[in-house]
Amino acid sequence: MFTIKLLLALLISLLVHATIPACASDKDVMVYRYWDWGITPQRDDYQVAVLKLALEKTRTSHGEYRIERKLETLSRSRAHRAIAQGEFLNIHASPLRPLLTEQDRREQLAESIPVTIPLMKSLLGYRSLIIRRSDYEKFSGITDAAQLKQLIAGQGRGWTDIGIYEHNEYQVRGDAEYFTLFSMLLAGRFDYIPLSVIEVNGALSRFEQYSDSLMVLPDLMLYYPLPTLFHVSAKHPSLADRVEQGLTQARQDGSLDRLFEQHFSEHVHQMKSVKLRVFVLENPGVPSTLGLDRPLLLNPQSNPKPRP
């Protein structure tokens, strides 16, 4: 009996001493808990790859890191609250939110720190239109923005895009959840759903029950500046500082551009290969210094001059 107790005591002692160094070293690891929205996997995979690239660039200066992808179905408001708390989540990637007042700016900075280096060359701002197949002839006859403004766009509740459409005098309904957009379009609540070129096909595949009734309009596109940024919990400024330093290096040495090409060259090639009608919208929340006012990923001949 004594021998068994002694062996158990020795085993417990060994286990305790074995975990102490691991815990101590784990404190030196910078842990990034990333919100994985899950609706557009290609976008999330790219954003995590960019985060990893930035952290690899700073491994020598900042040490080890760990990325934890949190696949959670959260509303944007709940995700923002979680980021602000900085525990379950501490980083996510989303479009730059407009700051209309000084109070808006203070509230945002109290919640999260934006890393102001665009991740996707404003690719989210290249918007294809999902329409009812029965409306194809009506949409194919649209030649200028004034005609499109007679119709109603549908967007998800709380999306940054809603204010952009309103600023440009487009009609928009923004009271839907993402998962109800397509049934509402079929029900005639609005006339089209503008989604990023990297989202439209995946959306129709996800909701394949609507594929016979809905389609992507092939030759008309909207564009507005919509830079995607990392937003890091304000409670973890050192995490934000490291990401900014790593992205700065990746942008300067060209590795950020190469990663973008690796993930999205097919989408860019497809846009350039089609003769598009492109209506350019203004985004008052994006500084012109970012150089995103025009759709730079399109060929000049595919980029008509008139603005809405």
Side-chain angles (χ1 to χ4, degrees), residues 96-108 160 162-164 166-167 283-286:
L96 175 66
R97 286 178 282 164
L99 299 176
L100 302 180
T101 67
E102 183 61 24
Q103 182 178 349
D104 291 335
R105 193 174 87 79
R106 287 196 299 268
E107 289 176 356
Q108 177 178 296
T160 303
I162 296 170
I164 299 172
E166 291 175 341
H167 172 79
N283 182 349
V286 174

Side-chain angles (χ1 to χ4, degrees), residues 129-140 185-186 191-193 204 210 213-218:
L129 311 186
I130 296 178
I131 64 171
R132 295 180 288 268
R133 288 186 181 274
S134 57
D135 286 342
Y136 173 73
E137 293 299 328
K138 175 171 65 177
F139 277 88
S140 64
L185 175 60
L186 277 178
D191 300 296
Y192 62 101
I193 304 171
L204 288 181
Y210 304 127
S213 303
L214 302 179
M215 65 176 290
V216 178
L217 190 63

Side-chain angles (χ1 to χ4, degrees), residues 144-153 161-173 192 222 224 280-284 307-308:
D144 60 49
Q147 292 171 290
L148 187 59
K149 289 179 182 181
Q150 301 304 310
L151 305 175
I152 302 173
D161 315 79
I162 296 170
I164 299 172
Y165 291 114
E166 291 175 341
H167 172 79
N168 289 272
E169 300 181 346
Y170 281 74
Q171 298 185 68
V172 59
R173 286 196 60 166
Y192 62 101
L222 303 178
Y224 41 86
V280 179
L281 286 68
E282 295 179 346
N283 182 349
R307 301 172 74 92

Side-chain angles (χ1 to χ4, degrees), residues 158-228:
W159 288 11
T160 303
D161 315 79
I162 296 170
I164 299 172
Y165 291 114
E166 291 175 341
H167 172 79
N168 289 272
E169 300 181 346
Y170 281 74
Q171 298 185 68
V172 59
R173 286 196 60 166
D175 57 353
E177 296 298 335
Y178 177 82
F179 295 99
T180 62
L181 278 172
F182 306 94
S183 59
M184 291 175 70
L185 175 60
L186 277 178
R189 303 283 291 278
F190 36 76
D191 300 296
Y192 62 101
I193 304 171
L195 290 180
S196 166
V197 293
I198 66 172
E199 297 173 328
V200 286
N201 291 325
L204 288 181
S205 298
R206 187 184 184 97
F207 300 98
E208 59 182 356
Q209 67 268 34
Y210 304 127
S211 59
D212 290 338
S213 303
L214 302 179
M215 65 176 290
V216 178
L217 190 63
D219 59 354
L220 191 154
M221 181 174 290
L222 303 178
Y223 171 78
Y224 41 86
L226 196 65
T228 302

Side-chain angles (χ1 to χ4, degrees), residues 107-141:
E107 289 176 356
Q108 177 178 296
L109 291 178
E111 173 188 294
S112 63
I113 302 169
V115 180
T116 55
I117 298 176
L119 309 179
M120 301 178 64
K121 299 181 184 292
S122 199
L123 190 58
L124 288 186
Y126 294 80
R127 296 274 158 159
S128 292
L129 311 186
I130 296 178
I131 64 171
R132 295 180 288 268
R133 288 186 181 274
S134 57
D135 286 342
Y136 173 73
E137 293 299 328
K138 175 171 65 177
F139 277 88
S140 64

Side-chain angles (χ1 to χ4, degrees), residues 258-274:
R258 290 192 292 274
L259 189 62
F260 177 85
E261 291 293 325
Q262 178 184 334
H263 282 257
F264 298 118
S265 59
E266 183 177 342
H267 292 89
V268 175
H269 174 74
Q270 184 176 0
M271 286 194 299
K272 289 183 175 181
S273 65
V274 178

Side-chain angles (χ1 to χ4, degrees), residues 3-37:
T3 304
I4 294 175
K5 288 183 178 179
L6 180 61
L7 287 172
L8 286 173
L10 287 171
L11 180 60
I12 291 171
S13 177
L14 287 171
L15 287 172
V16 169
H17 285 83
T19 56
I20 289 175
C23 292
S25 63
D26 195 54
K27 291 180 181 178
D28 298 328
V29 174
M30 301 182 78
V31 181
Y32 289 80
R33 298 183 177 92
Y34 170 86
W35 179 41
D36 203 327
W37 192 29

